Amino acid sequence: MEALLKGKSLVLVIPVYNEEKALRANFHEIKRLLAEDGIHPCFHFVDDGSRDGTWQVVSALSSEYEGVTGIKFARNFGKEIALRAGVESVDADLYLTMDSDLQHPPRYIKDMLEVMAREGCDIVDGVKASRGHESFKHRFVAKSFYKVLKSITGLEMDNSSDFKLMNRQVIDALREFHERNLFFRGIVSWVGFKTVKFPFEVDDRTLGETHFSVGRLFLLAMSAILSYTSKPLYLTIFSGILFLLFALIMGIQTLYNFFFGHAISGFSTVILLILITGSMIMLSLGIIGVYIARIYEEIKRRPRYIIERRV
Ligand code: UDP
Ligand code: MG
């Protein structure tokens, strides 16, 4: 099977956050399954500021096994940034990003490599054929997020995942992104290149629990839309135009009534109008506000992440 890699080096980039209990077992499982397929990759862990003993496990693995490296963030920066830091901080010919919890099943990696070799593509993009056993809430939030994202950005990312195989060229392109806030899946699809979709079945999480609450998913969704597109700003212009038209019609009608003496006490209309325009203005200001906040964050030019340790 080494023929698949044709002497190219493969690194698995795995973000981990508070995975102390599961990490060692999962590492062995991934290693074992891949060895069965004749694949012997390097491992590169990104400890996303875990507060438990995850880093101890990573450093132990790194001293026990060859080809295991890791970096540790000084605090929790989130999975998106962890993935990005991961691919930036290691050199290889092929990069595979995956979760540490076996929900991105290692048994598919061989097929992904085969697809890449056969199709000659730069990205093999894992898409969830089914969403596994997620809670209803989780599924609902994810579904509506992708709907909104698609209608705003035109980006079809339904069932997309961070289970991706990429070659060096793609990673070099990703390194050119200097923004602090980014949505990993978003930029991978933004850079283009020849991409082949690869459907896979999500397995259940083996040990530990998901780190993404509904609130966190919502923030992720907001952040993804904001970092990907400025279209919501144009929405405010559209709603402005709509209200201008409305105002024109109402204005003409009011003047007509005034001049022909039909002007009646129309308090309810006034109240309604004030409420509607008021909320539209607040909404628009809000949208503008979040973008300004983004500009402020970017312009501070803070480091995107802080690496505390390496092994
Ligand atoms: N993760 C991370 N930083 C975080 C949250 C999660 O690096 O702030 C890692 C986590 O350790 C795991 C992967 O991202 O390897 C996926 O997380 P999880 O299984 O909790 O998410 P889900 O599968 O429920 O989407
Ligand atoms: Mg998971």
Side-chain angles (χ1 to χ4, degrees):
M1 248 325 132
E2 278 307 315
L4 254 188
L5 288 173
K6 293 195 199 92
K8 286 188 201 143
S9 55
L10 168 69
V11 63
L12 308 188
V13 175
I14 307 178
V16 282
Y17 178 53
N18 294 347
E19 301 277 5
E20 175 185 33
K21 287 195 214 91
L23 187 55
R24 184 172 276 273
N26 290 348
F27 166 79
H28 284 297
E29 182 68 5
I30 297 172
K31 203 170 164 56
R32 186 181 66 77
L33 286 169
L34 286 180
E36 276 175 13
D37 289 337
I39 302 166
H40 302 280
C42 292
F43 287 77
H44 187 58
F45 293 101
V46 183
D47 180 351
D48 190 5
S50 300
R51 267 165 305 195
D52 61 0
T54 304
W55 181 246
Q56 278 72 10
V57 179
V58 172
S59 17
L61 289 176
S62 137
S63 53
E64 284 164 40
Y65 296 93
E66 219 173 286
V68 178
T69 52
I71 55 175
K72 176 178 169 48
F73 280 173
R75 66 167 168 86
N76 181 239
F77 282 88
K79 188 184 171 190
E80 306 301 319
I81 298 178
L83 282 170
R84 150 75 172 269
V87 297
E88 272 180 358
S89 55
V90 64
D91 279 317
D93 300 317
L94 299 171
Y95 294 74
L96 187 116
T97 49
M98 68 189 289
D99 286 0
S100 67
D101 57 3
L102 300 180
Q103 285 194 290
H104 294 161
R107 60 173 183 275
Y108 291 111
I109 294 176
K110 182 180 152 214
D111 300 339
M112 290 170 89
L113 287 167
E114 269 166 4
V115 168
M116 183 174 260
R118 192 175 60 228
E119 309 268 338
C121 59
D122 303 293
I123 304 173
V124 180
D125 186 8
V127 288
K128 297 172 187 159
S130 70
R131 301 193 62 96
H133 291 108
E134 275 175 334
S135 72
F136 174 75
K137 262 191 323 188
H138 201 123
R139 190 186 308 250
F140 178 76
V141 174
K143 277 252 177 288
S144 15
F145 163 54
Y146 287 120
K147 272 225 178 82
V148 173
L149 193 71
K150 195 185 162 206
S151 62
I152 296 182
T153 63
L155 209 61
E156 194 137 3
M157 291 213 293
D158 206 5
N159 296 328
S160 66
S161 75
D162 291 318
F163 194 25
K164 293 179 198 301
L165 177 65
M166 291 160 285
N167 66 16
R168 185 56 191 247
Q169 237 186 326
V170 178
I171 302 301
D172 284 341
L174 293 188
R175 287 183 178 169
E176 297 295 314
F177 283 69
H178 296 295
E179 66 225 56
R180 268 170 39 81
N181 285 297
L182 57 81
F183 184 47
F184 192 77
R185 282 167 235 180
I187 54 167
V188 170
S189 80
W190 191 90
V191 292
F193 291 104
K194 184 164 184 221
T195 306
V196 173
K197 290 206 187 297
F198 181 89
F200 71 98
E201 293 289 337
V202 182
D203 282 355
D204 285 344
R205 200 178 220 287
T206 43
L207 295 159
E209 285 198 343
T210 177
H211 299 97
F212 290 92
S213 60
V214 169
R216 206 167 161 183
L217 279 180
F218 181 76
L219 286 181
L220 181 67
M222 281 277 286
S223 157
I225 293 173
L226 290 176
S227 73
Y228 197 81
T229 175
S230 49
K231 275 198 189 140
L233 283 175
Y234 297 93
L235 270 179
T236 66
I237 298 180
F238 276 122
S239 64
I241 292 174
L242 213 73
F243 271 84
L244 188 68
L245 285 176
F246 190 55
L248 266 175
I249 297 168
M250 290 298 281
I252 291 170
Q253 194 223 17
T254 310
L255 283 177
Y256 178 86
N257 282 346
F258 181 76
F259 283 118
F260 293 92
H262 305 302
I264 27 156
S265 51
F267 257 132
S268 25
T269 325
V270 174
I271 290 171
L272 280 179
L273 280 178
I274 290 178
L275 286 178
I276 296 173
T277 44
S279 47
M280 287 312 289
I281 291 173
M282 294 301 278
L283 192 67
S284 314
L285 279 180
I287 295 177
I288 298 169
V290 284
Y291 278 99
I292 293 181
R294 281 295 165 123
I295 298 173
Y296 179 56
E297 271 168 34
E298 295 288 348
I299 214 145
K300 280 190 284 191
R301 297 209 140 261
R302 287 195 183 159
R304 282 162 295 156
Y305 47 83
I306 296 164
I307 297 176
E308 190 181 299
R309 290 208 179 85
R310 289 170 194 271
V311 286

